[in-house]
Amino acid sequence: MNDDILDFLRQLIAFKSVSSDTSQAENSRKTAEYIKSNLEIIGVHADLMENETKGKNPLVFGKLGEDPEKKTILFYSHYDVQPAEIADGWDTDPFILTEKEDGYVYGRGTDDDKGPIVATIFAIKELVKDHGSLPVNLRILYEGEEESSSGGFEETVLRNKDYFGQVDGIMILDTSWFTDGQPSLDYGFRGITYLGVEIEGPSSDQHSGMVGGTIREPLIDLIYLMSRFVDLEGKVLVDGFYDKVKPLTDEETKLYENLEFSLQEYKDSIGISKVLVEDSTTTLMNMWRNPCLSIHGIEGAFSGAGGKTVVPGKVIGKVSMRLVPDQEPEEITKLFTKFVEAEFKKLHSPNQLTITPLGSGDWWLGNVNNFLFTSGKVALKQYWKIEPSFARSGGSIPIIPFMESTFNAPAIGIGIGQPSDGAHGQNERIRIKNLVGGKEVIKLMLTNIAEQS
Amino acid sequence: MNDDILDFLRQLIAFKSVSSDTSQAENSRKTAEYIKSNLEIIGVHADLMENETKGKNPLVFGKLGEDPEKKTILFYSHYDVQPAEIADGWDTDPFILTEKEDGYVYGRGTDDDKGPIVATIFAIKELVKDHGSLPVNLRILYEGEEESSSGGFEETVLRNKDYFGQVDGIMILDTSWFTDGQPSLDYGFRGITYLGVEIEGPSSDQHSGMVGGTIREPLIDLIYLMSRFVDLEGKVLVDGFYDKVKPLTDEETKLYENLEFSLQEYKDSIGISKVLVEDSTTTLMNMWRNPCLSIHGIEGAFSGAGGKTVVPGKVIGKVSMRLVPDQEPEEITKLFTKFVEAEFKKLHSPNQLTITPLGSGDWWLGNVNNFLFTSGKVALKQYWKIEPSFARSGGSIPIIPFMESTFNAPAIGIGIGQPSDGAHGQNERIRIKNLVGGKEVIKLMLTNIAEQS
C-alpha cells in the first residue's frame, strides 16, 4: 500500500515545478496535468484551468459529488515548490525521492506541498473504493504559484467561482504540525502590509568627499525616521496602531495551555540567547496574536562588502507590519503613512518623502468551535492517540481569508508533515508515518463531518 | 606643435589601462612601457618598477639631473583610468581620442590623468630642447593603480625610496581647476576613516512572520545606533570628535575670499534645493576644512527592489568620517568605537556589536606660503593672466601625506583640466587650451622655482 503512495509522490517530486523559475513552466504544466489525470483515474472530474495572469502556472480544479444532503468540502494545496539544487547542500538529488532508514522520504516538495496532495488523493481513492462514494461532496483547488505570492490565484478563482458551486468548508493542506510530536490544526495567520519609505535628495549618487558635511544626506533622514517606528520593547509607535486589536479572552488564553512549546528550542532554532519577553506563552502570543513591525532593509544604499564612499541620492526603507484581528491592512497603511509624514515634517528636511505600499494581505482567524475543527480534532485524536493542539502562525497566507469570503465558508488548516521537515530548506523531507497518517486523518475527518451533519 | 601633443595623448588614450579590470593588466603594462620609452626619448632615465603587490600594475620611475645646486622636483601622476564603455552613454568611443569643434578632445583619461602626463612630458621635452637642460633635477613617479586605491603604491615606493635621492618638492598632477574659469593650486585634502558597525543576532536570516514581534531585530538595533551618530545640522555626536580640529585663522579665511564659487551652481550640480547652511563660504568650509560623518549603506539587509519579508540575522552599517587637521584617523577610530560601544550598551540588546575599521587615510594640508605655491601662483598668473585661487578638496588622497613624509618634502596640487571635464563620467574631456596651458605653466613654474632658489 505504502509503495503506491510513495510511487505517486516519487513521480510528483521528479517534476521540477519551481514557480519562481519561469524556465520551468513546462514542468509545472506537466505536474498539473499529471495530478489532473490521477484525479480522473479515481473518478474525480478534473480540469486544468489556465491562470488569469499571463505566464503564471495553471491551476487544477476538480469535483466529485453533487449530493445536496452532503456537505461540500474544498481542498486547497499547491503543486509548485521552492527552488532546490544539490549544490545548496542537499545530501541527495532534491528531485529524486529518496527513502532513508530514519523512516523519512527526502526531496523538494515532500512536505511542502506535494506530500499533502498525495495524502489527499489516496484518501479519496480509498474512501471511494471502500464505500463506493465519498461522505462529502469534494472540490479540489490546487495552484502552482503559491511559492511566488499565489500569482493570478484570486483572479482565476473569482472568474471561475461557479465551477465549485456552494462550498461548506475549506480544508487548507499547506501547513505542518506545531511540534514534531504533536499533531495540530491551524486556526490563524497574521495579515501584513508592506511599505517602501523613500527619501530623495540629490538627483544621483554623490561622492562623500564632495557632499559630506554640506548637504542633508537622504540616508541619514531615513535612519532618523526608521528609528521612530518601533521602540526597543517591540512596541509599534504608529499612532492608533493598536486601536483595533482584539483584547485577549479567557477562551483564547486556554488555547495556549495545551501547546507543547519549548522557548529554549525556539531560541536555539533561531540562534539567539534571548527573546523580547522571556516567557513561552507571551512569545507565542507575540508571534501569533499580536501585531508587530519589522524593518527589512534599504534599497538604493551601498549594500556590498567592504567600503564605498557613496552618498546615495535616493534610498527606500523597506518596512512591514504583521496585523491581527481586527486591524485592516488598508487602515494601518493610512495610519502609518500619516505618522511617517508627520515625523518627517519634524526633521525639517529639504529632501522629498514618498511612501509606497508594496503589498498587503488580510489576517485569518478561524472559529475553533465550528464543524471543521471539531471533526478535525476528533480525527487527529482517533488516529494519533494524542490530544492535538490548535495553532496559529505569525506568517501570512492572504488567500485563506480570500477563499473564506469568496466561498462564504469557513477554513481550517491541517498540517501533514512536521516542523523539522525543512519545508524551504535543504534535505526537505516527510515522515512516511505522517504521509500515511495524513491520508487516514483526512478519511476520518470527512467521515466525521458527514456524521456530524 | 599641438599635433604632437594630441598624437601622444591619442596613443595613451587608446590603451585600456582600466586598473579595476584585471583582465586589462596587459594594456596597463603597455601603457607604462609606452610612457617609459617616451621619457627615454626626451632624455629622462626611466624604469618600469614592478608593483610590490602581486597582480597590481607596475609603476614608472624616472630621473633627469643630479645637480646639487638645483632643487629636485618629483612629479606624480597616474596612467590608469576609470572603466568606460560606449554603452554607458558616451557619444564617441571612449578609447579613441576625438577632437570636437568646441575646442575639447574627448576620451577616457583625457582629464584624469593621461592629459596631465602628456603636458608634463612635453614641458620637459621643450625645456630640454630650448635650454639643453632642466632648471631643476627631475623625478618621475607614475602609478597605474590610483583608481583602485593606489594598490601597492606605498610598499613599492618605500622599497625603492633610494631611487629618488633627496627630493625638495612634490608636484601632484591629478586634480582640476576649482572652477571652469579660474586656474587653481590645491593645498589640501581631508583624511578619512571608514568603519563597519556590525550587529549580529540570529545565526541566519529569519522569516519576519516567525520572529516579527518576538525578537530584537539586529537591523532595528543598528538603525537606533546610526541615528545617534550625527545630528540633523550635520554635527558629529561622537564624544571628542572636534577636540583636535584646528581653529580658523584670519589667514585661512582670506584664502576663501578670492574663490569664484557659486552656491547655486553647486546645488544645481548635485540636484538639491538647499545645503545645510545657505552660505557659500560656510559650504566650502564644510566641504574642505570641517570634518563630517556620512552613512553609506548596510551590508546584509534586503537591498533589492520590491518586498522581501526577511529579518536579517547580521547587518553591517557602513560609516565614514572625513577628517581635517589635526584629527588623527587612528584616534578618531578609537573615539568612534568607544562612543558606539557606549551607545549600544544603552540599548540593552541581546545582540552582538562588532566594529571593524575598513580603511583610513591622513588628511593633507599644504603650506601656501612655501616655494611651490609662490612659484605656482606666479606661473599661473603669467600664463593665464588671471589671479589663481588656492583650493582644497573634501575628498581624500592619502598618498599625498604619505609622499610628503616619505620624501620629507612639501607637495602641491596643480590642476590641468576643468571641473566640467567629467573625470569619472561619460564623455570625459580636456580643453586643448588647458593641455597646452598646463604644459606652459609647468615650464614657467620649474623656471620660477630655479629663479627663487
Side-chain angles (χ1 to χ4, degrees), chain B residues 315-336:
Chain B
V315 287
I316 310 173
K318 302 296 174 73
V319 186
S320 75
M321 286 158 279
R322 298 278 174 179
L323 309 177
V324 299
D326 287 324
Q327 293 175 308
E328 297 281 352
E330 205 177 315
E331 189 189 355
I332 295 294
T333 301
K334 275 185 197 157
L335 289 175
F336 177 82

Side-chain angles (χ1 to χ4, degrees), chain A residues 72-370:
Chain A
T72 300
I73 302 297
L74 183 144
F75 281 81
Y76 167 87
S77 290
H78 62 91
Y79 66 80
D80 63 315
V81 296
Q82 285 277 324
E85 303 278 349
I86 195 156
D88 296 341
W90 284 71
D91 296 331
T92 58
D93 187 324
F95 295 101
I96 296 177
L97 189 77
T98 307
E99 186 174 350
K100 293 197 187 165
E101 290 185 358
D102 57 8
Y104 287 79
V105 283
Y106 290 76
R108 174 57 86 222
T110 44
D111 174 288
D112 182 19
D113 192 28
K114 290 173 173 175
I117 289 177
V118 169
T120 305
I121 291 180
F122 271 78
I124 298 163
K125 181 182 170 182
E126 292 175 15
L127 282 171
V128 171
K129 191 182 163 203
D130 293 350
H131 306 285
S133 69
L134 291 178
V136 299
N137 299 316
L138 174 84
R139 300 294 179 264
I140 293 286
L141 173 43
Y142 291 163
E143 68 161 318
E145 292 284 348
E146 197 274 343
E147 304 294 1
S148 300
S149 307
S150 292
F153 181 82
E154 299 194 0
E155 299 87 320
T156 312
V157 170
L158 283 176
R159 173 171 282 244
N160 300 287
K161 198 188 144 186
D162 293 346
Y163 184 98
F164 301 97
Q166 191 208 308
V167 171
D168 298 301
I170 302 162
M171 286 172 58
I172 307 291
L173 276 86
D174 186 24
T175 57
S176 306
W177 289 7
F178 175 57
T179 62
D180 272 14
Q182 188 184 27
S184 56
L185 296 167
D186 296 295
Y187 69 100
F189 284 88
R190 291 194 286 192
I192 187 170
T193 179
Y194 199 117
L195 296 112
V197 178
E198 175 189 305
I199 310 275
E200 182 167 17
S203 51
S204 61
D205 287 356
Q206 301 292 316
H207 186 281
S208 66
M210 304 306 133
V211 302
T214 68
I215 72 163
R216 272 287 283 270
E217 300 184 8
L219 181 50
I220 290 179
D221 276 353
L222 180 63
I223 284 166
Y224 261 75
L225 263 189
M226 295 201 298
S227 74
R228 294 162 185 212
F229 291 172
V230 62
D231 75 12
L232 292 175
E233 278 73 46
K235 193 187 157 207
V236 180
L237 301 175
V238 174
D239 299 316
F241 183 76
Y242 294 97
D243 287 358
K244 298 278 175 71
V245 176
K246 272 194 174 165
L248 193 64
T249 62
D250 290 346
E251 194 192 9
E252 188 184 345
T253 307
K254 267 189 201 149
L255 292 170
Y256 288 82
E257 284 167 8
N258 183 34
L259 290 166
E260 281 181 7
F261 176 68
S262 158
L263 186 58
Q264 191 55 49
E265 277 174 27
Y266 176 73
K267 292 193 287 187
D268 289 348
S269 72
I270 299 170
I272 53 172
S273 58
K274 270 189 177 179
V275 286
L276 282 170
V277 182
E278 283 288 316
D279 174 74
S280 300
T281 302
T282 309
T283 296
L284 273 182
M285 287 185 177
N286 280 341
M287 198 191 323
W288 291 352
R289 67 101 54 222
N290 293 326
C292 67
L293 183 149
S294 292
I295 300 180
H296 308 289
I298 297 170
E299 180 183 347
F302 173 54
S303 61
K308 185 179 175 185
T309 52
V310 65
V311 170
K314 184 169 87 174
V315 287
I316 310 173
K318 302 297 173 73
V319 186
S320 75
M321 286 157 280
R322 298 278 173 179
L323 309 177
V324 299
D326 287 325
Q327 293 175 307
E328 298 281 353
E330 205 177 315
E331 188 189 355
I332 296 294
T333 301
K334 275 184 198 158
L335 289 175
F336 177 82
T337 303
K338 197 177 154 193
F339 169 79
V340 175
E341 284 172 351
E343 289 297 318
F344 186 67
K345 274 218 182 86
K346 294 182 194 165
L347 301 184
H348 301 288
S349 173
N351 298 318
Q352 302 299 314
L353 168 74
T354 310
I355 298 171
T356 308
L358 294 172
S360 69
D362 284 323
W363 46 262
W364 169 60
L365 185 64
N367 174 0
V368 296
N369 297 316
N370 71 24

Side-chain angles (χ1 to χ4, degrees), chain A residues 123 171 177 183 185 375-384 414-416 434-448:
Chain A
M171 286 172 58
W177 289 7
L185 296 167
S375 309
K377 190 179 174 182
V378 171
L380 284 171
K381 206 172 169 182
Q382 283 172 310
Y383 184 80
W384 293 106
I414 300 156
I416 302 295
N434 279 55
L435 203 55
V436 175
K439 178 198 69 178
E440 294 300 329
V441 165
I442 292 166
K443 287 160 67 178
L444 288 166
M445 190 169 162
L446 295 183
T447 307
N448 293 344

Side-chain angles (χ1 to χ4, degrees), chain B residues 278-449:
Chain B
E278 283 288 316
D279 174 74
S280 300
T281 302
T282 309
T283 297
L284 273 182
M285 287 184 177
N286 280 341
M287 198 191 322
W288 291 353
R289 67 101 54 223
N290 293 326
C292 67
L293 184 148
S294 292
I295 300 180
H296 309 289
I298 297 170
E299 179 183 346
F302 173 54
S303 60
K308 185 179 176 186
T309 53
V310 64
V311 170
K314 184 169 87 175
V315 287
I316 310 173
K318 302 296 174 73
V319 186
S320 75
M321 286 158 279
R322 298 278 174 179
L323 309 177
V324 299
D326 287 324
Q327 293 175 308
E328 297 281 352
E330 205 177 315
E331 189 189 355
I332 295 294
T333 301
K334 275 185 197 157
L335 289 175
F336 177 82
T337 302
K338 197 178 154 193
F339 169 78
V340 176
E341 284 173 350
E343 289 297 318
F344 186 67
K345 274 218 182 86
K346 294 182 195 165
L347 301 184
H348 301 288
S349 173
N351 298 319
Q352 302 299 314
L353 168 74
T354 310
I355 298 170
T356 308
L358 294 172
S360 68
D362 284 322
W363 46 262
W364 170 59
L365 185 64
N367 174 1
V368 296
N369 297 316
N370 71 24
F371 76 98
L372 290 171
F373 284 90
T374 49
S375 309
K377 190 179 175 183
V378 170
L380 284 172
K381 206 171 169 184
Q382 282 172 312
Y383 184 79
W384 293 105
K385 318 290 178 204
I386 301 170
E387 190 71 32
S389 62
F390 291 99
R392 288 166 76 162
S393 164
S396 305
I397 305 191
I399 57 158
I400 302 181
F402 163 78
M403 286 192 284
E404 275 198 333
S405 72
T406 301
F407 297 117
N408 192 26
I412 185 173
I414 301 156
I416 302 295
Q418 297 161 298
S420 71
D421 286 348
H424 288 191
Q426 297 89 354
N427 300 317
E428 181 182 345
R429 64 181 189 174
I430 195 164
R431 193 166 62 155
I432 297 172
K433 264 191 188 172
N434 279 56
L435 203 56
V436 175
K439 177 198 71 179
E440 293 300 328
V441 165
I442 292 166
K443 286 160 67 178
L444 287 166
M445 189 169 162
L446 295 183
T447 307
N448 293 344
I449 287 172

Side-chain angles (χ1 to χ4, degrees), chain B residues 6-15 34 97 114:
Chain B
L6 293 183
D7 283 346
F8 185 33
L9 182 58
R10 180 171 294 111
Q11 188 56 46
L12 281 183
I13 296 300
F15 294 116
Y34 187 75
L97 189 77
K114 290 173 172 175

